[in-house]
Amino acid sequence: MSGRRPQEPAIGVFDSGVGGLTVFRRIAEALPGEHLCYLGDTARVPYGTKSADTVIRYARSCAAHLQVRGVKMLVVACNTASAYALDVLSAELPVPVIGVVAPGARAAVSRTRTGRVGVIGTPGTVASGAYVRAIAALNPAIRVYSQACPLFVPLVEDGWTTGSVPEAVAARYLDKLAAKGVDTLVLGCTHYPLLRGVIANVMGPGVRLVDSAKETAKAVVETLRDRRMLRTDTRPGRREFYASDAPETFARVGARMLGGRTPLTQVEWVDV
Ligand code: DGL
């Protein structure tokens, strides 16, 4: 018999690809002592342009994959997967499931002063109406204006986060939203925090930007604390990264998502 002790369970985080590392990064900053296990479904990215049925099927297989690894909580870092599949996953899994939509909606509701909120996301997230419903459930008087920004994801993945090209694309998507007089804008997609500067320029100084990644990390901390599930050991937690397509591409693009500070040296290919 081997004397190896079973590994302590990690917080499982999944996304359609590398974008969810913006959420992973915030969780890692907030909870350095927790074990974190990230799965990027890079073989099937993007989710943002796919149908609800397909996204739910993909999300289920990612969740099942992480569950086999014995996670104690599941974080759906992908806005599109949260928008379409959170209810299904919450009903099916034996562990707490946290998505990015509810935390972002809560932050927007608490920050708006004018009651006019903008939401930007993938075509799927916007079509699902998930943010609109989540905000209405908290305060039905708030008016929500949504806009899909499909070109933002490829721009970020290619590293085009500043300069005339993203500025022109952002102006095209956001001018109308800015004209609606929203005072709060939810960055409802994993990639959009990297375009924060460009988005802020178009929206103007009076508009607060809600970073769903940051808000989700807060929700993870609160949920683990409330359920007394925080790891008590003060040593740094382990970090595991899995990708369903080329691990070296995941590592290269993913490093940008982590702010370039954390090298992604060990990424394992997995078949989801
Ligand atoms: N992760 C997705 C989201 O937050 C963006 C990339 C994709 O379309 O898969 O909605």
Side-chain angles (χ1 to χ4, degrees):
M1 257 186 52
S2 96
R4 266 182 69 184
R5 286 201 298 164
Q7 282 198 324
E8 287 178 312
I11 299 170
V13 181
F14 84 85
D15 177 48
S16 54
V18 289
L21 288 168
T22 56
V23 179
F24 175 94
R25 174 185 173 184
R26 296 294 182 189
I27 299 171
E29 283 166 3
L31 296 167
E34 289 293 332
H35 303 303
L36 300 177
C37 173
Y38 183 95
L39 168 63
D41 191 7
T42 44
R44 301 187 293 197
V45 71
Y47 285 11
T49 50
K50 301 209 166 71
S51 69
D53 285 351
T54 298
V55 173
I56 291 171
R57 186 157 50 83
Y58 289 176
R60 269 187 165 137
S61 71
C62 289
H65 185 87
L66 287 169
Q67 226 194 322
V68 169
R69 296 182 182 277
V71 295
K72 66 177 177 180
M73 166 185 264
L74 183 73
V75 179
V76 184
C78 177
N79 283 259
T80 312
S82 295
Y84 281 137
L86 197 78
D87 292 346
V88 173
L89 298 180
S90 302
E92 290 178 354
L93 296 179
V95 294
V97 181
I98 307 267
V100 286
V101 172
R106 259 199 310 276
V109 169
S110 72
R111 285 180 209 171
T112 183
R113 296 289 165 262
T114 61
R116 298 166 87 84
V117 169
V119 174
I120 53 175
T122 65
T125 297
V126 169
S128 76
Y131 274 104
V132 177
R133 281 194 301 278
I135 291 170
L138 296 166
N139 183 345
I142 291 177
R143 298 194 62 173
V144 183
Y145 302 91
S146 309
Q147 174 67 49
C149 306
L151 289 179
F152 280 178
V153 168
L155 281 173
V156 170
E157 298 224 343
D158 244 2
W160 294 56
T161 51
T162 55
S164 57
V165 173
E167 276 163 18
V169 174
R172 186 69 176 259
Y173 285 142
L174 303 177
D175 271 349
K176 270 200 222 126
L177 212 53
K180 299 276 186 211
V182 300
D183 72 341
T184 304
L185 179 69
V186 181
L187 307 181
C189 174
T190 47
H191 292 58
Y192 299 178
L194 280 95
L195 286 168
R196 205 186 170 93
V198 166
I199 294 169
N201 267 347
V202 179
M203 297 307 292
V207 177
R208 297 177 175 86
L209 302 185
V210 173
D211 178 347
S212 290
K214 245 190 198 166
E215 302 304 329
T216 303
K218 284 187 208 160
V220 168
V221 174
E222 278 162 24
T223 306
L224 288 177
R225 192 181 293 143
D226 291 351
R227 298 184 183 218
R228 300 186 191 286
M229 289 169 69
L230 282 166
R231 182 169 174 248
T232 46
D233 196 326
T234 51
R235 282 173 297 181
R238 61 176 193 277
R239 307 282 178 252
E240 294 167 38
F241 299 96
Y242 301 94
S244 56
D245 189 38
E248 57 291 346
T249 310
F250 178 95
R252 182 169 42 78
V253 184
R256 268 206 299 273
M257 301 286 164
L258 290 174
R261 273 171 293 159
T262 315
L264 272 171
T265 43
Q266 295 203 321
V267 182
E268 199 180 306
W269 176 83
V270 287
D271 186 8
V272 291

